Amino acid sequence: MTDSAYRVETTSRLAQWRIENLASCTYRKSDPFKIGKWNWHLAVEKNRTLFIKLYPEISNLTRENPPIASFIIRVISSVGDRKVLVHPEVKDKQLKNSEDFVWAIEAPLTGKFIIDVEFLDLKTASSNGGELCSIWAEGFTQKQANATALTSLGRMLSEGIHTDIVINASDGRSIGAHRAVLAARSPVFRSMFSHDLKEKELSTINISDMSIEACQAFLSYIYGNIQNEEFLIHRLALLRAADKYDIADLKENCHESLVEDIDTKNVLERLQNASLYQLPKLKNSCLRYLVKFGKIFDMRDEFNAFLQCSDRELIAEVFHEVLAAWKGF
C-alpha cells in the first residue's frame, strides 16, 4: 500500500478519499486534510457493517472552538455504473471527536470506492457567545475597512450628497455618484472624465449591461460599504464590471469568492467565465471539480448543453483533463 492510499484530495469545500479494496475486518484513517481553519480526518471501519467517520484533528483550536459543520457526504462506487449512496444533509453539527459523526452503511461495497464530503458551511461560536458565525462569510467582511472615512463615503452615495454624475442602468433607472471617487478607483472612469468624451460633457454614464441593483452593488464596492450578502448575489455582474472598468482588487475579490462555493449548479457557468476573464485559479478549480472529483458524471445533460455553446478551446481543455484523469486512475 502506498502513502497515497491515505491522502485526501481537496478543494476549498470538497474532500475526496479514494479507497482501494478493504479486507473483511479493516480500520483505516486518512491523513489530515485542511478545510477552513481545521485539519480533518476521515476514517473507515469494515466489519459486517461499513462505518464512515468525519472528525477534526484534536488541537487547542478544536477544544476551545470546535467546528459546527453542515455537509453532504456520499460514497461512490468507482467501478461499473458508479453506484452512489448519499447520507441525508447534515446541518450545523458540532464535531469534536471521532464519535460525533458516524455513518453506518449496510449495503455491501466491493472494489474501489470514493468517500466524497461537500462542506456547505463551517461555523464557530462568536467570542461573546452570541450567534454562530460562518467562517466563509468572515473572509470578505473582514476586508471591509471600518474607518470613519469609508462610512462617510458610503453616506455620500446613499444620501446623494453633492453628486455630480448620473449612472443609467439597463432598466432605465439611475443613481447619482461622484466623478472624483469613480476616477480614483478606475483608470477607465478617469479617462472618461479627463478627455472630451460624451460622459464628461453630459455628466452621465450609461452602463447598459447592469441592472440598477448590480450598479448599486458596484458603487457600494467602490465607496467601500458593500455588504457581504450583496457582494455574493452580484458577484458575476461585479466581475464583468471590474474587468470592463479595470478595477483589479474587485476582480481579484470576485475571483477568490467564486472559487469558494463551486457546485454542480454553477460549475459550468463559472468555467466559462473563468475562461472569458482569464481567471486561472477559478478555471483550474472548476476543472478539478468536474474531472478529478468525478462530478462530470452527475451532470451529463448540463454538460451536453455546455458542449453545444462553449468555444472549442475550452472544450478541448476539458477533454484534455478527462484523458489525463483516465490515464492516472
Side-chain angles (χ1 to χ4, degrees):
M1 184 174 295
T2 64
D3 291 341
S4 64
Y6 299 93
R7 186 176 66 239
V8 176
E9 298 285 349
T10 64
T11 66
S12 56
R13 299 197 188 195
L14 183 67
Q16 282 191 348
W17 190 16
R18 296 173 182 266
I19 305 291
E20 302 292 334
N21 288 332
L22 290 176
S24 58
C25 296
T26 301
Y27 175 81
R28 192 180 302 175
K29 183 175 79 170
S30 75
D31 288 337
F33 60 94
K34 191 172 183 66
I35 298 286
K37 301 177 180 179
W38 299 273
N39 287 324
W40 299 82
H41 289 284
L42 281 163
V44 291
E45 182 178 349
K46 185 177 180 182
N47 199 336
R48 293 183 177 179
T49 301
L50 179 68
F51 295 96
I52 297 177
K53 300 180 180 182
L54 172 69
Y55 55 96
E57 193 170 54
I58 301 301
S59 67
N60 290 335
L61 176 62
T62 56
R63 291 189 189 96
E64 297 170 3
N65 206 349
I68 299 166
S70 298
F71 57 92
I72 297 174
I73 185 166
R74 307 173 181 88
V75 172
I76 305 165
S77 173
S78 57
V79 295
D81 60 354
R82 286 179 63 87
K83 179 180 179 181
V84 180
L85 302 175
V86 183
H87 189 281
E89 179 179 332
V90 178
K91 183 72 173 177
D92 289 343
K93 175 75 172 178
Q94 186 177 77
L95 300 177
K96 289 184 177 181
N97 57 57
S98 61
E99 300 306 314
D100 286 334
F101 175 78
V102 181
W103 181 15
I105 300 176
E106 299 289 344
L109 285 171
T110 59
K112 298 178 181 180
F113 62 93
I114 299 169
I115 301 175
D116 179 294
V117 185
E118 183 177 356
F119 288 82
L120 306 176
D121 203 0
L122 283 172
K123 298 178 181 177
T124 59
S126 60
S127 57
N128 58 11
E131 294 183 355
L132 301 178
C133 301
S134 170
I135 66 165
W136 283 309
E138 291 174 3
F140 182 80
T141 304
Q142 289 176 350
K143 294 178 182 177
Q144 302 305 298
N146 57 6
T148 302
L150 281 181
T151 302
S152 299
L153 278 175
R155 289 184 56 222
M156 286 171 58
L157 177 65
S158 61
E159 298 177 20
I161 300 173
H162 299 305
T163 58
D164 56 7
I165 196 160
V166 173
I167 295 178
N168 298 319
S170 61
D171 52 10
R173 290 184 288 171
S174 60
I175 184 172
H178 304 83
R179 295 170 186 260
V181 176
L182 299 183
R185 294 292 278 118
S186 162
V188 176
F189 284 135
R190 180 180 299 180
S191 179
M192 286 181 182
F193 305 143
S194 301
H195 299 87
D196 292 327
L197 302 177
K198 64 179 182 179
E199 289 84 2
K200 179 178 180 180
E201 180 181 350
L202 299 176
S203 296
T204 60
I205 300 173
N206 294 319
I207 303 183
S208 58
D209 56 352
M210 295 182 77
S211 67
I212 191 65
E213 292 80 11
C215 281
Q216 179 68 61
F218 181 45
L219 291 174
S220 293
Y221 183 91
I222 288 175
Y223 282 71
N225 67 336
I226 191 170
Q227 299 299 308
N228 187 60
E229 183 177 358
E230 184 182 23
F231 174 80
L232 293 176
I233 291 172
H234 297 289
R235 277 177 295 180
L236 289 177
L238 292 174
L239 174 62
R240 290 192 292 269
D243 186 76
K244 181 178 179 180
Y245 296 106
D246 195 14
I247 304 179
D249 58 297
L250 175 56
K251 185 174 182 178
E252 184 58 25
N253 280 331
C254 292
H255 188 186
E256 291 293 330
S257 179
L258 289 167
V259 169
E260 288 185 347
D261 56 355
I262 294 168
D263 59 31
T264 53
K265 295 178 182 178
N266 61 39
V267 62
L268 294 175
E269 181 184 25
R270 293 194 183 178
L271 179 58
Q272 289 176 312
N273 278 284
S275 177
L276 178 62
Y277 297 112
Q278 299 181 339
L279 306 175
K281 184 176 179 181
L282 180 59
K283 179 188 284 188
N284 291 337
S285 295
C286 290
L287 289 173
R288 288 189 74 214
Y289 184 88
L290 284 168
V291 179
K292 188 164 185 70
F293 291 90
K295 298 303 179 182
I296 197 170
F297 294 101
D298 301 330
M299 44 190 306
R300 295 181 184 181
D301 292 342
E302 295 88 343
F303 186 68
N304 286 335
F306 167 81
L307 294 178
Q308 299 298 319
C309 63
S310 296
D311 68 83
R312 293 183 178 181
E313 289 187 7
L314 182 57
I315 292 172
E317 286 189 68
V318 174
F319 278 103
H320 177 77
E321 291 293 324
V322 171
L323 291 173
W326 282 351
K327 291 178 182 178
F329 189 73

